[in-house]
Amino acid sequence: MNLPLNTVDHLSQRLQELHARTRETPLFNPVFQLGLDLSRGLEGDGLDLDGLEVLVEELECASLNARTKRLRALIQPNETQSPVAASCEDGVEFESFQKRWERPSLHAVFTAHPTFLLTPEQTRAVANAASDGGTLVRAPDLSGANRPQITLEYEHAEAMAAIAHAQTARSAIVREVYEHAYGCWPKQWKTLRPLPFRFATWVGYDMDGRTDIAWYTSIRFRLSEKAQRLARYADELSAIDAGHALIKTLKGASAHASASAQDFAGDLSQPKALSDAANRLTADDPAKLTSLEPLIAQLEEEAEAQGKDAKAADLLTLAAAMRADGLGMAHIHFRVNAKQLHNAIRVHLHESPQLDLSSKGAVATLRGMLAKVTPKRTNFASLAIESSTATRQFLAMAQILEHIDADTPIRMLVAECEQPSTVLAALYLAKLFGIEGKVDVSPLFETEEALEHGGRFLDALCAEKSYQEYARGRGRVCIQTGFSDAGRFVGQIPASLAIERLQGRLAQAMGKNGLNDVAALIFNTHGESMGRGAHPSSFADRLTWPLSPWARSRFHRNAIALEPEVSFQGGDGYLPFANDTLARATLMRIIADTPEQSEVCDDPFYARTDLSLDFYRAIRTHQRRHLHSQTYSRAVTAFGLGLLNSTGSRVSRRQSDLSADRDMNLRQIRAIPHNSILQQLGYPVNVIAGIGSAADGNYEELAALLAESERGRQLMRLAQTSNALASIKTVAAYGELFNSAYWASRPYRGTEPHLSAACEVLAEYLTKDDRTGVFRRLASRVRVDALKFHRLLDQLPAEERLGFDQDTRRMIGAAQALRLALMQHIFLRAVSVPVFSRANDIAREDVLEMVFSLRIDDALAQLRRAFPVEFPSPSDFAMDAPSDYPDASSEGYGAISRDYIDPIERAYGLMLRLSVAIANQFGAHG
């Protein structure tokens, strides 16, 4: 090899050369070979960690530009055609225009999923470049070397910033709606009440799987959001009329809410502290606002009387914002799981506390309880002494509705909800505390079982008279679907098709039970990655992938108003709202790309169920085999979570014995890191796998259906985009790190004699490791399926086959090879550390296993314990008696730290920065 490896261009050229050799030797692995080339340079005289860091910085910058390009293509911020103007064309009736703008195009929920991949500086740089069409260049602030600690407070602040940009963008759209309306209908325009979008968040309110959010934390967040929103209202009104009387009212109410938020910021575990904070909040105060209705009415009356159309439009725009958001930055979603609700309701099952809540008898019992329940008054003491998580959530909602915001309804999301009785239990608690008129209970469907049997669940629930009465009182039926866990358990494509079928069953159940007079609110919870339900091709695909034209037509056919809702999850999801320009472009893109409603969907995908249903079942079966395979499980968990940065405040791994990494179960890893690990290993199994095998034996007929069907073309666009970034060779390369024969052979011909001892230790230690075989088997399985997938692609029309961007593939390959070199550096340094004695039940072998599983922080902690750099000195003590021992020149293990421990730490830091670069090329963390 004569080519230097000092730039990313060098790595790309070398990778291109190495790929040519696969023609000679099919098993040759270019990614692993480039990793070896880099490793030889690093362990010799050709490269050092400083040089590798330069390469990492280049790859980081390239990946941020890729992220920018993807974002710009998705939302098209420089698009000049306004959907508002298009909706006001000649011949459009006012009533049609009014109907178009008074119902939300979309409900957008800003969640705290752990996808805070980019640093704040990187986020700003990508957002600005996407907005103005610029290109990023390498700079210190674009480095991922210094990542912030992701806390709940950080997540909440980021969510509020994104929502603030979304609010500004929505108000600009509403103002444009009024502008066009008063030009077209000068006598009617002031009666418009536009509501193009509604925003919500569950950051700080989602208790499912978390024990770190106290109930008073949620109260504090709601109060701080109230203070922030009131201050924004005051600023907006000041811009319209600096002397308006309501400015003082809004600022006073903001200050009152801010002071209450501070009261709830401390430790309220003691009765006196809670009593003082609660009493100040609940006391009558002229500055306290719990409803905006009088203010909205006043602004609208002033607008009606206002002679100047521009000022009237400004006042109406502010009133529209108040009507949309209420006394908070957004609507809020609480969340619990079904088990928590079951535990809570048992306290109220006085006559049958052991009742099986999955039985028909449970439904009858709860029906009777709902008919007899008498609402009870509650206060903050009720919250403080309540031990049930679910009951505490309802109590918190009751206090928010009574003392903070009486107008804005609250969503109660119920995870793992598989029985109608669970929903009735939630209704009972809502009714018990007198808040059933302001709470929307929404069951979540995301597990394979829930999706499989969800239709029967919805039939039974919609037939229940007590539920029908509740739904009519609220004006809607709410459900939530989860693409993350569903995609993890059955594969993303089968999950999407199963969710689509469930949505159709909801329309059918509502129609059959006479619930045509209420809306169907469907919250499709998906992430920003392909593996978690975000279609990458366009915003039109992004909107119709989770709620297809076929599913929409089912509701239209049953005369049911549909309220679509989607999530923008964590830092990745907030990126389209990172500044006002992007936020407005994103909302405009959603408006422009929202499909027209129709009773008819003539897509042949739904007519040819002899093909499409078998296709769905075959992919699901193939994905299920992977999920239950020890090979797949071991490969995904081979490095634990060591390939990933910490990207959220919620733990990514469910609690378990950390010594059991070898037997880690996939269910111990949550959906986002599971998907992220697949990206990092180089092959998104949960997106691509199974499509080729499902087509086996019927390529031509299936390809013809997929090409003719819009849903089929959309499905294949997703799979092809994912496949364009995938590399089976990379999967295999990670297994070779654990190949004992590789380490034994590496210094065999005297090329690296200085590594002989370390390589011998690695070779001997890894003779008992299973990971080489695991990765080889997984690579073989996905290779066979991929051959069939490409055979199916060959049958598609040329215009439906997406090409590969080889530059992008080589960028990913270079990052993977560089990481392989860094991992080898870590392995070699770890086995070269001098032997140390066992302490605290930790031996050298345990530390090595930590290293091989990439539990580097744990390993470093043990090594620094064994080889401290500093010792206590006699000079630290004020001793009267003299001493000559120890000698003042005694030192700690500085050389060991310098030569082994510090390089391991630095190499691992560079590895994690490469993980960000790879994720950016895929478009999202997980």
Side-chain angles (χ1 to χ4, degrees), residues 5 61 130 197 202 207 249 277 289 334 536 550 557 644 675 685 693 730 763 829 844-845 856 922:
L5 299 176
C61 187
F197 293 94
W202 73 41
M207 305 288 189
T249 301
L289 268 182
F334 280 82
W550 177 86
R557 180 180 298 180
L644 309 179
N675 193 64
V685 174
S693 297
T730 299
R829 285 292 181 273
R844 182 171 187 264
E845 290 73 20
I856 302 299
F922 275 89

Side-chain angles (χ1 to χ4, degrees), residues 597-654:
Q597 292 188 4
S598 173
E599 291 185 17
V600 179
C601 178
D602 55 5
D603 191 321
F605 192 84
Y606 307 99
R608 290 295 311 274
T609 52
D610 57 320
L611 284 175
S612 59
L613 191 57
D614 284 349
F615 184 57
Y616 153 74
R617 287 171 175 162
I619 299 173
R620 186 184 64 178
T621 299
H622 187 98
Q623 287 280 344
R624 189 184 289 155
R625 287 198 199 105
H626 276 302
L627 188 69
H628 295 297
S629 160
Q630 287 296 319
T631 294
Y632 179 72
S633 179
R634 178 66 173 133
V636 171
T637 61
F639 302 110
L641 302 178
L643 292 173
L644 309 179
N645 289 276
S646 174
T647 55
S649 65
R650 188 176 79 167
V651 294
S652 295
R653 172 176 170 175
R654 292 180 168 86

Side-chain angles (χ1 to χ4, degrees), residues 540-809:
D541 274 340
R542 182 189 172 106
L543 291 171
T544 56
W545 179 251
L547 189 62
S548 68
W550 177 86
R552 293 168 190 261
S553 73
R554 303 293 99 178
F555 291 96
H556 199 59
R557 180 180 298 180
N558 283 283
I560 297 168
L562 185 61
E563 296 185 33
E565 185 171 64
V566 300
S567 55
F568 291 91
Q569 297 186 356
D572 283 347
Y574 303 166
L575 191 55
F577 300 92
N579 60 37
D580 289 343
T581 301
L582 287 182
R584 183 169 184 179
T586 299
L587 297 187
M588 285 294 202
R589 179 55 45 206
I590 291 170
I591 293 168
D593 289 349
T594 296
E596 295 291 330
Q597 292 188 4
S598 173
E599 291 185 17
V600 179
C601 178
D602 55 5
D603 191 321
F605 192 84
Y606 307 99
R608 290 295 311 274
T609 52
D610 57 320
L611 284 175
S612 59
L613 191 57
D614 284 349
F615 184 57
Y616 153 74
R617 287 171 175 162
I619 299 173
R620 186 184 64 178
T621 299
H622 187 98
Q623 287 280 344
R624 189 184 289 155
R625 287 198 199 105
H626 276 302
L627 188 69
H628 295 297
S629 160
Q630 287 296 319
T631 294
Y632 179 72
S633 179
R634 178 66 173 133
V636 171
T637 61
F639 302 110
L641 302 178
L643 292 173
L644 309 179
N645 289 276
S646 174
T647 55
S649 65
R650 188 176 79 167
V651 294
S652 295
R653 172 176 170 175
R654 292 180 168 86
Q655 294 301 307
S656 65
D657 178 7
L658 287 176
S659 67
D661 281 347
R662 188 177 297 275
D663 300 315
M664 187 191 296
N665 187 286
L666 277 179
R667 292 182 182 272
Q668 292 173 242
I669 297 179
R670 299 183 189 275
I672 291 173
H674 174 260
N675 193 64
S676 301
I677 290 168
L678 292 177
Q679 293 175 355
Q680 296 299 324
L681 292 178
Y683 199 83
V685 174
N686 59 343
V687 179
I688 310 169
I691 298 173
S693 297
D696 193 14
N698 200 16
Y699 294 105
E700 292 184 9
E701 193 173 11
L702 186 58
L705 173 64
L706 294 173
E708 185 183 357
S709 156
E710 174 49 39
R711 187 64 163 168
R713 292 194 296 271
Q714 186 182 50
L715 182 155
M716 293 305 291
R717 284 195 294 274
L718 175 72
Q720 289 184 80
T721 303
S722 185
N723 185 62
L725 302 170
S727 166
I728 299 172
K729 291 287 189 183
T730 299
V731 176
Y734 281 103
E736 295 312 302
L737 288 173
F738 301 96
N739 187 343
S740 174
Y742 162 72
W743 291 106
S745 304
R746 178 167 169 172
Y748 182 67
R749 294 197 177 271
T751 52
E752 298 174 292
H754 58 293
L755 297 181
S756 295
C759 285
E760 183 178 339
V761 174
L762 280 166
E764 184 172 2
Y765 187 89
L766 292 172
T767 54
K768 58 183 181 293
D769 197 278
D770 64 333
R771 278 169 279 198
T772 298
V774 162
F775 279 101
R776 285 179 176 177
R777 285 194 300 276
L778 179 60
S780 296
R781 290 174 187 176
V782 296
R783 173 70 72 192
V784 171
D785 181 63
L787 291 172
K788 298 173 182 178
F789 177 71
H790 286 279
R791 200 170 297 146
L792 174 64
L793 294 183
D794 290 341
Q795 298 293 324
L796 295 177
E799 63 271 17
E800 296 300 329
R801 297 200 294 269
L802 305 183
F804 283 12
D805 183 340
Q806 294 297 342
D807 287 340
T808 298
R809 291 179 65 82

Side-chain angles (χ1 to χ4, degrees), residues 427-479:
L427 296 188
Y428 176 85
L429 292 174
K431 202 167 183 180
L432 179 66
F433 302 130
I435 57 174
E436 75 278 9
K438 288 290 185 180
V439 173
D440 290 309
V441 177
S442 178
L444 166 61
F445 302 88
E446 63 180 344
T447 65
E448 184 175 7
E449 185 176 350
L451 293 173
E452 189 73 23
H453 305 297
R456 290 197 293 273
F457 172 104
L458 293 170
D459 286 338
L461 184 63
C462 290
E464 186 60 40
K465 297 297 181 185
S466 56
Y467 181 77
Q468 292 176 10
E469 180 182 343
Y470 161 75
R472 289 193 172 94
R474 285 295 308 130
R476 62 174 58 91
V477 168
C478 298
I479 69 166

